[in-house]
Amino acid sequence: MNNLNYNSMFQNRKFIIRIPKDICNLLIFCLTVAFIALRSIVPFLYGVQLIFISYMGIIAIKKLNKIFATQYVVVYGMFFLWCCLSVLWSPAIDKTMAAAVSVGQMIVICSLMTLYLVSIEKIEKVLFGIAIASIIMIAFLILKTQPSEWVDALTGSFSASSDKGRIGYSIGHHPNAMGNLCALLAFVWLYFYDKSKRKIYLVWILLLSFILLFTKSRAAILMLIMYFFGYIILAKKRRFLFIKIIPTIIILSFILYWAIFNIPILYELIGFRIEGVFGVFNSSYTMDASSYTRINMMKYGIDMFKKHPFTGVGFGNYAYYAYHYYDLFSETYAHSNYIEILAGLGVVGIFLYYILPVLSCITLGLNLKRTNGSLRKLCAFLFVAIIVRLITDFIKITYNDELTQMINVICICGASLINRMQKEGG
């Protein structure tokens, strides 16, 4: 499938109209802009998806044998089917249907993306499109967010359990989702800075990191640290890695810790929220209500799984069960992707959802030892992206996050391509 030219494939069919070869990349770029920057503009959000699915759907019909032989399509198609089948045992069928439609939409989009992600060059084009979309997001956020909202985030004293005084709502994102986006997008820019050394890319990294602080997302801070440290460690082969890098990481961690809790602005933005998490491990700190509730949510989900280990309670039904059977304060999601899927779809669902990311992570990790130069940098980027996602899925929901799902299919396709290249090269 590598480097296929759609025009040459159908050049003998006179009724096919010639179109630009890279229109697929343009449509994927527009999708990214819709998902991360302009999601509050509903006609654009859904219009772009419709155009992409229609155009790529026509191509998919011409390549049915190839698309249905793709790992991603087969495994996630089975996952979607299991989601739909769970209506048979879900107490709240409407919630299962709504969740399945949301997941199915992204599985269709990502399955169609596999038709384009057939070379390293095209993967990098898509990643650079994601990076450019972040600039549009920054501009739109600044335009739509009132100055008073920035001031409130900086000076207002709010509970660690509150969403008040946090940035993101103005462009259609929950602050936690906004923080996760900023961390991932800053990481994408780090990758391209490392490849090109263009200093303008540092500006976008700093801006995204600055906005991240105003979202006050604890998970996003953790993600940003893991992205950057992970990539810096793995992007190049290093002799005496532990002797040189690990002490540096420890020192920088202590400096960051001191800054967060001793610089007033940083403490007001994120320090007081991190303190609430310390209460989970140290009784000398007061655990905030958010952390306490999340722990209970996980316990509820594990109990649901124990009672329904094979099928779960039904996709999207965690919230229903937690509210009606465990006295949760409201019908809300589990705040952990693993718990949400494990409780809703049992061992079958959790296996189908995570088997490809885990296998891709292993594949990329093994290939890190064999790659050099720019290919190693891409391998390191994809490896860190997927392993950080697997770690942070313990504390956030990602199955319905569009950019996470797009990065997921990029990592899976990238791992397969790099592995094939190394085998052919060997």
Side-chain angles (χ1 to χ4, degrees):
M1 194 182 290
N2 279 356
N3 301 319
L4 288 178
N5 186 312
Y6 296 130
N7 290 329
S8 64
M9 288 177 62
F10 307 117
Q11 59 186 353
N12 295 325
R13 303 185 184 186
K14 296 180 179 180
F15 57 89
I16 297 295
I17 299 173
R18 287 185 176 273
I19 51 178
K21 289 187 293 184
D22 224 20
I23 194 170
C24 298
N25 186 44
L26 175 62
L27 289 174
I28 293 172
F29 170 71
C30 291
L31 275 176
T32 308
V33 172
F35 290 145
I36 74 172
L38 306 179
R39 65 184 303 111
S40 60
I41 304 176
V42 176
F44 180 74
L45 176 65
Y46 288 103
V48 166
Q49 292 179 67
L50 180 61
I51 294 170
F52 174 83
I53 291 173
S54 300
Y55 173 71
M56 294 299 290
I58 293 172
I59 296 175
I61 291 171
K62 307 288 185 181
K63 299 181 175 183
L64 282 179
N65 291 336
K66 292 183 179 179
I67 193 168
F68 284 115
T70 306
Q71 276 187 331
Y72 180 92
V73 176
V74 172
V75 174
Y76 281 97
M78 292 170 64
F79 174 76
F80 176 63
L81 180 61
W82 187 247
C83 292
C84 294
L85 284 175
S86 72
V87 299
L88 299 176
W89 57 85
S90 300
I93 294 176
D94 59 324
K95 296 184 182 300
T96 298
M97 295 298 293
V101 167
S102 177
V103 166
Q105 172 186 334
M106 283 311 300
I107 288 176
V108 168
I109 287 172
C110 292
S111 295
L112 293 172
M113 282 178 63
T114 63
L115 293 170
Y116 182 76
L117 300 172
V118 294
S119 68
I120 297 300
E121 179 188 7
K122 290 181 177 180
I123 283 177
E124 295 213 326
K125 282 183 178 181
V126 172
L127 286 173
F128 193 70
I130 290 172
I132 296 299
S134 73
I135 300 175
I136 299 173
M137 184 193 77
I138 291 171
F140 198 58
L141 179 70
I142 293 171
L143 181 66
K144 295 287 287 184
T145 306
Q146 297 296 322
S148 59
E149 294 180 59
W150 298 97
V151 174
D152 282 346
L154 191 61
T155 61
S157 296
F158 301 102
S159 165
S161 304
S162 173
D163 288 335
K164 294 181 179 179
R166 303 173 68 187
I167 298 300
Y169 288 118
S170 61
I171 61 170
H173 291 294
H174 185 279
N176 288 337
M178 187 75 207
N180 297 340
L181 266 179
C182 290
L184 179 55
L185 293 169
F187 177 45
V188 175
W189 277 118
L190 174 67
Y191 168 67
F192 284 109
Y193 171 75
D194 187 42
K195 288 194 65 179
S196 68
K197 303 303 180 185
R198 294 182 181 176
K199 291 183 171 59
I200 185 64
Y201 294 173
L202 292 174
V203 173
W204 307 127
I205 293 172
L206 291 173
L207 272 174
L208 288 163
S209 301
F210 179 76
I211 293 169
L212 185 155
L213 289 176
F214 279 81
T215 69
K216 303 185 181 181
S217 170
R218 293 170 285 199
I221 289 285
L222 176 64
M223 288 172 64
L224 188 67
I225 293 171
M226 288 193 293
Y227 281 143
F228 277 52
F229 282 165
Y231 181 78
I232 290 168
I233 290 171
L234 298 174
K236 297 178 182 178
K237 289 185 177 179
R238 303 176 187 274
R239 298 181 64 188
F240 310 113
L241 174 67
F242 287 95
I243 296 175
K244 294 179 179 179
I245 297 295
I246 301 304
T248 304
I249 290 176
I250 294 172
I251 292 169
L252 289 175
S253 297
F254 275 112
I255 293 172
L256 180 63
Y257 177 88
W258 180 90
I260 287 173
F261 289 99
N262 289 276
I263 298 175
I265 291 177
L266 290 179
Y267 180 81
E268 190 62 46
L269 285 173
I270 194 65
F272 77 99
R273 288 181 59 81
I274 294 176
E275 260 185 353
V277 178
F278 288 169
V280 176
F281 311 102
N282 191 334
S283 59
S284 63
Y285 291 92
T286 301
M287 186 191 309
D288 65 87
S290 176
S291 298
Y292 179 80
T293 302
R294 284 173 185 246
I295 290 173
N296 284 332
M297 286 176 169
M298 290 185 182
K299 291 178 180 177
Y300 301 156
I302 292 171
D303 191 59
M304 292 178 206
F305 168 67
K306 287 178 179 178
K307 293 177 179 177
H308 308 272
F310 184 74
T311 62
V313 298
F315 190 46
N317 272 230
Y318 168 89
Y320 178 89
Y321 258 77
Y323 179 71
H324 290 279
Y325 296 98
Y326 294 88
D327 296 324
L328 189 62
F329 65 93
S330 69
E331 291 193 22
T332 186
Y333 55 90
H335 288 73
S336 168
N337 209 64
Y338 291 104
I339 297 296
E340 186 80 22
I341 294 178
L342 198 61
L345 294 171
V347 292
V348 176
I350 202 82
F351 175 81
L352 290 173
Y353 187 80
Y354 280 108
I355 184 61
L356 284 186
V358 170
L359 289 177
S360 297
C361 188
I362 294 170
T363 299
L364 290 164
L366 292 174
N367 278 290
L368 273 171
K369 298 178 180 179
R370 302 194 290 263
T371 51
N372 291 291
S374 61
L375 187 61
R376 181 184 175 91
K377 290 180 180 181
L378 178 62
C379 190
F381 171 85
L382 297 175
F383 176 79
V384 173
I386 207 162
I387 201 167
V388 169
R389 174 268 179 102
L390 289 172
I391 293 170
T392 55
D393 269 9
F394 281 104
I395 55 176
K396 61 190 181 77
I397 294 289
T398 57
Y399 75 81
N400 58 356
D401 182 86
E402 297 95 347
L403 187 59
T404 298
Q405 296 308 315
M406 292 177 76
I407 293 294
N408 183 51
V409 73
I410 289 170
C411 289
I412 291 168
C413 291
S416 179
L417 282 168
I418 291 172
N419 194 50
R420 190 190 313 155
M421 289 173 65
Q422 290 304 113
K423 286 181 177 179
E424 292 173 354

